[in-house]
Amino acid sequence: MSEKHHVIDARRCKACGLCVSNCPKAVLALGAAINAQGYNYVVQEHPENCVLCDICGTICPDMAIGVVVDQ
């Protein structure tokens, strides 16, 4: 059986905030940690609210976030 889960690639995130502002369940926020590029990357602030809709992955211009399916 396949299972979906949410992934964030902190190395690719440029903290544009598009995923944060478009998440219908307010799951995401800009975190306090800084990646190697000097950006406060996105984190799941409320992962329990995530419905795995993948709006974040669709809107991210850097392909740094999304929902993946394990086979």
Side-chain angles (χ1 to χ4, degrees):
M1 180 181 347
S2 301
E3 190 171 315
K4 292 181 179 180
H5 65 276
H6 198 248
V7 232
I8 299 171
D9 185 348
R11 298 168 300 169
R12 298 183 74 130
C13 182
K14 293 182 183 165
C16 69
L18 288 173
C19 60
V20 175
S21 62
N22 285 282
C23 179
K25 299 294 182 176
V27 172
L28 306 168
L30 289 179
I34 298 174
N35 65 16
Q37 297 180 54
Y39 298 108
N40 292 78
Y41 56 88
V42 169
V43 296
Q44 280 190 316
E45 190 167 80
H46 299 285
E48 69 280 2
N49 295 337
C50 185
V51 294
L52 302 170
C53 64
D54 201 31
I55 290 173
C56 57
T58 303
I59 201 153
C60 180
D62 298 305
M63 297 172 34
I65 191 169
V67 173
V68 296
V69 178
D70 289 334
Q71 298 288 327

